[in-house]
Amino acid sequence: MSEAVRTMIRMDAEAAQESAAQADAGFLWDFWYPAVRSTEIRGQKLVTAMLLEVPLVLGRTSEGKVFAMRDSCPHRGIPLSYGRLDGKVVECCYHGWRFDACSGQCVEIPSLSSQDKLKVERIFAGHYPCEERDGYVWVYMNVPGTKLPETIPAAPGLTVFSNKYKITHLSCDLPSHIDHGIIGLMDPAHGPFVHQSWFWRKRGSIHEKAKQFEPIPNGFRMSPHSPSTNSAPYQLLKKITGEPVTTTIDFVLPNIRTEEDRSGRMWFSSRATVTPVRRDLCRIDFVAAWNLFFLPVSVFRIFGKIFLRQDQQTMIQQAEGLKHNPRLMLIDDADRPAKWYFALKANLIESRRTGAPMAHPMDGPVTLRWRS
């Protein structure tokens, strides 16, 4: 067996081990994840990102199309982000290997002589589907070393209800596994403690609530309802429009929470994603749009940043306790959404393993009660 063949076998084995390790990390593959803000990719600049412990290099072609490649040259493994983009081709800084940005296919190896018979076009750098939505560059993450599905759905888009609206984006890092980030995102009982403030709600305003939930594909929905009476912004909106306010909240695998608030012609729509970076680090990417004439973007960002900092500080404190691997518990009814999340995730993985239809943990609508 030649040394070249031995090397390829070793590299294939390492790739298989990497895929197994990433699966053990509890990541969900074959989904879209936001990698970077669109505004970060300008001109011929190469930008790096990490998703599901996969290093990525992103850029924009001279035609304006975004692309995402694994940030590793298949020759010697040096990050392609140290190279350069000429508008269509990414060139490695080490030996000048050149790859088509939109396919990852090798188009040139400068060191080859006329005697070499290597078929350059059969060499590919890792490449991932890429789309822009709502000011983000989304990357479709399939398991490294596997083929892409025959059909790939469009990247998620934020729902809006009029042609004219304001929009803004916020983000922060959370030093935790994605599972902790997600169940914190959907937790209905932490608000009066983590987010207590004069402009939102106070600890003394805690009261019992009852909300109906219903199953939706790959997730669940808090059915349209009147929002909390102890939240000042909702009460302000009701006074301005003179009409009831309704709120609908969805959670959909792998990591998306959306909320829609409507009162007459006024509306507010938001999406929060908990993006897995590493098994010990995730990121909240939050985008909101609205046509509320009385809410400037600058004012919303001030309060939005306060909210995110409160969540971030709580997760930092939780990470300190989780270092010691404590036993954890989930209770009903406030923790039922977390239980649904874990069941949905496990059932999806089992469905993909067996090919059987995915079982939903909810049989139908159910009413949950808790105090917050």
Side-chain angles (χ1 to χ4, degrees):
M1 184 183 295
S2 70
E3 182 59 31
V5 173
R6 290 193 187 94
T7 300
M8 291 303 296
I9 291 176
R10 184 172 67 251
M11 292 173 66
D12 288 343
E14 290 172 351
Q17 291 173 355
E18 178 188 33
S19 295
Q22 290 167 331
D24 289 342
F27 299 143
L28 285 179
W29 300 89
D30 294 326
F31 284 106
W32 290 98
Y33 292 94
V36 297
R37 288 286 314 281
S38 295
T39 52
E40 293 184 38
I41 304 179
R42 300 184 298 273
Q44 296 185 351
K45 178 183 178 182
L46 293 173
V47 175
T48 61
M50 180 81 73
L51 289 179
L52 289 73
E53 297 189 343
V54 175
L56 300 174
V57 57
L58 301 99
R60 193 183 299 275
T61 67
S62 54
E63 287 78 28
K65 180 177 175 58
V66 291
F67 63 86
M69 301 170 65
R70 187 183 180 98
D71 195 14
S72 176
C73 179
H75 180 211
R76 298 285 183 84
I78 192 169
L80 290 170
S81 55
Y82 288 127
R84 68 184 187 90
L85 170 67
D86 70 0
K88 294 183 177 180
V89 173
V90 176
E91 181 181 279
C92 178
C93 69
Y94 198 178
H95 296 91
W97 287 32
R98 291 163 58 81
F99 302 91
D100 178 76
C102 292
S103 68
Q105 185 178 39
C106 187
V107 296
E108 182 184 356
I109 298 178
S111 62
L112 293 181
S113 70
S114 59
Q115 304 301 311
D116 287 304
K117 307 213 180 279
L118 180 65
K119 295 185 182 298
V120 172
E121 67 276 7
R122 294 185 178 179
I123 300 173
F124 285 82
H127 186 268
Y128 296 87
C130 201
E131 290 184 9
E132 288 187 89
R133 291 282 190 282
D134 308 318
Y136 292 100
V137 177
W138 293 75
V139 179
Y140 189 86
M141 299 298 294
N142 61 304
V143 179
T146 65
K147 293 184 178 180
L148 288 167
E150 292 185 3
T151 58
I152 299 176
L158 181 67
T159 301
V160 296
F161 300 98
S162 61
N163 293 327
K164 294 183 179 181
Y165 54 86
K166 302 169 186 176
I167 189 168
T168 193
H169 308 76
L170 297 167
S171 68
C172 73
D173 291 334
L174 304 177
S176 68
H177 187 274
I178 184 173
D179 286 346
H180 289 295
I182 286 177
I183 65 175
L185 182 74
M186 65 177 63
D187 175 18
H190 74 278
F193 302 93
V194 174
H195 299 302
Q196 57 179 295
S197 56
W198 64 267
F199 63 86
W200 188 246
R201 62 184 62 173
K202 300 178 181 179
R203 184 169 178 169
S205 68
I206 294 176
H207 62 280
E208 186 167 323
K209 299 177 181 178
K211 307 292 183 184
Q212 179 173 291
F213 290 78
E214 57 190 281
I216 58 176
N218 279 2
F220 51 87
R221 168 174 296 156
M222 185 186 291
S223 306
H225 61 279
S226 298
S228 300
T229 57
N230 58 343
S231 294
Y234 295 127
Q235 299 310 308
L236 175 61
L237 178 58
K238 183 178 179 179
K239 288 182 179 180
I240 290 175
T241 64
E243 299 189 41
V245 181
T246 59
T247 296
T248 305
I249 300 174
D250 288 358
F251 173 80
V252 178
L253 289 177
N255 62 342
I256 299 177
R257 179 194 185 274
T258 60
E259 179 172 340
E260 298 172 3
D261 303 301
R262 306 193 68 177
S263 180
R265 295 183 178 180
M266 299 291 178
W267 59 268
F268 179 94
S269 177
S270 68
R271 181 188 64 227
T273 55
V274 183
T275 302
V277 179
R278 303 188 307 264
R279 66 193 69 197
D280 62 347
L281 178 67
C282 57
R283 184 184 69 245
I284 292 181
D285 290 303
F286 177 86
V287 56
W290 63 91
N291 72 342
L292 311 177
F293 65 89
F294 55 87
L295 181 58
V297 170
S298 58
V299 173
F300 177 84
R301 288 182 62 84
I302 290 173
F303 295 121
K305 288 179 179 179
I306 293 174
F307 261 63
L308 285 186
R309 279 199 301 269
Q310 290 168 336
D311 282 324
Q312 184 182 47
Q313 182 60 33
T314 300
M315 299 303 289
I316 291 172
Q317 293 168 341
Q318 183 188 36
E320 182 179 338
L322 293 175
K323 290 178 182 177
H324 308 289
N325 298 315
R327 294 185 64 181
L328 306 177
M329 61 188 298
L330 295 174
I331 62 173
D332 277 341
D333 276 355
D335 286 337
R336 189 83 65 85
K339 293 182 178 181
W340 289 333
Y341 162 69
F342 285 118
L344 283 164
K345 185 176 179 180
N347 293 352
L348 176 63
I349 293 172
E350 181 65 11
S351 173
R352 289 179 172 177
R353 185 186 70 82
T354 64
M358 176 182 165
H360 201 290
M362 300 176 66
D363 295 329
V366 60
T367 298
L368 302 184
R369 292 176 172 82
W370 66 89
R371 285 173 53 81
S372 69

